């Protein structure tokens, strides 16, 4: 079987960009000539999965990545892998199992998605950045020395950050009425939000590197090329609807309340997500914090207004 680059979560926020870019890069990559891309999805019949399956060197496998074992990785001759894990409270148990399987199977290199760099620390009040810190600490241990890895620490995705604004415009166009604009952004703090696809593009460049050693144990900070504030988001909305926004709520995290109400896990743990935005509100997540290596290898390109335009067209 051909050497394989595994993409766990191929139809997710970042996975799609990884697969599409990998397929394109492999056309001219001499070192990885003959490698195949194995894209995991829980629904191979979905529209995105079918589109990816049509790309050169791409095969689709219907399998949940949490069920991946060392034997399965060996059977599929996986030599490099990408994983974008969920952020549920059981993340550490499931993602650490994936990395342990990769270690035992002799996988050469793994690229994983972490979260906002300013939050990845053991004392972050929000639970999931502590999980990412713990995963990175585990991978840095002597026991995992033979598994090369890179952790990407992207800022909040543009699509998520801007979605309330896009929804207000779409509803206004249908009804002529405004709902309350609920933004997780503060009014003044500049935040380098990033297009999720740009994160996938950068990950694909790492996965096709001739020599991954320079990226081993690296933690790369990814931001978008341009900052945006809550006030600027309001201005975008007003430009599209042709009138003033009647009611805007900055630092609105009411969506977390809905998540906690529906969660099967500890509600207090889920509610801690509200603390994750504090570093952004404090001005610690601007575009200028991006790692130099990201700019050199595959700098994010899409500014917030471009992403916003695409969202309105969907």
């Amino acid at each position: 079987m051909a050497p394989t680059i595994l993409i766990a979560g191929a139809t997710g926020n970042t996975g799609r960009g990884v697969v599409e870019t990998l397929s394109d890069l492999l056309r001219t990559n001499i070192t990885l000539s003959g490698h195949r891309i194995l894209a995991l999805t829980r629904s191979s019949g979905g529209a995105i999965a079918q589109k990816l399956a049509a790309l050169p060197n791409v095969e689709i496998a219907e399998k949940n990545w949490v069920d991946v074992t060392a034997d399965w990785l060996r059977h599929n001759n996986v030599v490099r892998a990408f994983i974008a894990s969920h952020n549920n409270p059981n993340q550490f148990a499931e993602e650490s199992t994936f990395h342990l399987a990769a270690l035992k199977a002799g996988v050469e290199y793994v690229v994983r998605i972490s979260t906002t760099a300013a939050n990845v620390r053991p004392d972050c009040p929000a639970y999931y950045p502590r999980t990412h810190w713990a995963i990175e600490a585990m991978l840095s241990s002597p026991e995992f020395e033979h598994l090369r890895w890179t952790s990407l620490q992207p800022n909040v995705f543009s699509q998520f950050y801007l979605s309330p604004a896009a929804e207000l415009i779409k509803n206004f166009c249908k009804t002529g009425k405004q709902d309350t604009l609920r933004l997780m952004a503060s009014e003044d703090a500049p935040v380098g939000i990033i297009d999720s696809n740009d994160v996938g593009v950068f990950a694909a460049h790492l996965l096709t590197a001739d020599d991954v050693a320079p990226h081993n144990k690296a933690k790369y900070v990814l931001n978008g090329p341009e900052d945006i504030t809550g006030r600027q988001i309001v201005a975008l909305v007003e430009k599209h609807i042709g009138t003033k926004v009647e009611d805007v709520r900055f630092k609105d995290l009411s969506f977390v309340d809905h998540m906690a109400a529906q969660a099967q896990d500890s509600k207090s743990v889920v509610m801690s997500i509200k603390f994750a935005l504090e570093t952004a509100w404090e001005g610690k997540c601007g575009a200028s914090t991006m790692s130099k290596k990201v700019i050199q290898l595959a700098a994010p390109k899409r500014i917030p207004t471009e992403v916003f335009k695409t969202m309105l067209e969907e």
Side-chain angles (χ1 to χ4, degrees), residues 4 16 21 82 140 172 189 213 223 233 270-271 277 305:
T4 299
R16 182 175 179 178
T21 308
F82 168 85
S140 299
F172 182 82
N223 292 311
I233 297 174
V270 176
M271 288 292 288
L277 272 296
T305 52

Side-chain angles (χ1 to χ4, degrees), residues 2-8 18 22 25-26 29-33 35-40 72-73 76-83 98 102 105-112 147-150 203-215:
T4 299
I5 303 174
L6 176 70
I7 311 301
V18 178
L22 267 178
L25 292 176
L26 285 182
N29 189 294
I30 298 175
T31 302
L32 301 181
S33 176
H35 283 56
R36 66 169 182 152
I37 302 164
L38 184 58
L40 295 191
W72 186 90
L73 292 169
N76 284 280
N77 197 18
V78 174
V79 294
R80 297 186 182 186
F82 168 85
I83 179 171
F98 178 90
V107 174
E108 299 168 4
Y109 181 53
V110 173
V111 176
R112 67 176 298 273
L147 177 63
R148 292 176 173 177
W149 59 275
T150 302
H205 277 80
L206 290 176
L207 289 165
T208 54
D210 291 340
D211 181 13
V212 301
H215 306 293

Side-chain angles (χ1 to χ4, degrees), residues 219-239:
K219 303 169 189 176
Y220 292 136
V221 179
L222 289 90
N223 292 311
E226 187 178 283
D227 288 322
I228 194 167
T229 66
R231 189 186 303 115
Q232 289 173 317
I233 297 174
V234 173
L236 274 177
V237 174
E238 292 176 341
K239 179 180 178 182

Side-chain angles (χ1 to χ4, degrees), residues 18-28 35-39 50-60:
V18 178
V19 176
E20 291 174 342
T21 308
L22 267 178
S23 178
D24 186 54
L25 292 176
L26 285 182
R27 295 182 184 185
T28 56
H35 283 56
R36 66 169 182 152
I37 302 164
L38 184 58
Q50 290 297 304
K51 186 175 181 179
L52 295 179
L55 296 174
N57 301 312
V58 175
E59 295 179 26
I60 298 292

Side-chain angles (χ1 to χ4, degrees), residues 2 5 22 51 78 90 104 121 135 138 154 171 178 198 207-208 215 218 220 248 259 274 293 306:
I5 303 174
L22 267 178
K51 186 175 181 179
V78 174
N90 64 336
K104 291 186 174 182
R121 60 184 199 271
I135 291 288
M138 180 192 78
N171 290 334
Q178 291 189 36
D198 279 343
L207 289 165
T208 54
H215 306 293
Y220 292 136
V248 58
M259 291 174 60
K274 290 188 174 184
K293 185 62 70 173
E306 291 175 340

Side-chain angles (χ1 to χ4, degrees), residues 114-125 129 153-155 221-223 275-286 289:
S114 180
T115 190
T116 306
N119 289 337
V120 185
R121 60 184 199 271
D123 64 340
C124 182
Q153 299 178 336
N155 210 333
V221 179
L222 289 90
N223 292 311
F275 293 108
L277 272 296
E278 290 183 348
T279 50
W281 299 339
E282 293 167 356
K284 297 178 180 178
C285 303
T289 62

Side-chain angles (χ1 to χ4, degrees), residues 117-180:
N119 289 337
V120 185
R121 60 184 199 271
D123 64 340
C124 182
Y127 77 87
Y128 68 90
R130 296 197 304 270
T131 296
H132 284 292
W133 173 85
I135 291 288
E136 292 173 355
M138 180 192 78
L139 292 173
S140 299
S141 68
E143 290 81 0
F144 277 80
E145 186 65 30
H146 294 296
L147 177 63
R148 292 176 173 177
W149 59 275
T150 302
S151 194
L152 307 187
Q153 299 178 336
N155 210 333
V156 60
F157 293 151
S158 303
Q159 290 84 348
F160 183 51
Y161 208 68
L162 299 174
S163 62
E167 287 305 310
L168 185 145
I169 293 172
K170 290 179 180 180
N171 290 334
F172 182 82
C173 291
K174 293 178 181 177
T175 67
K177 298 179 180 180
Q178 291 189 36
D179 299 318
T180 298

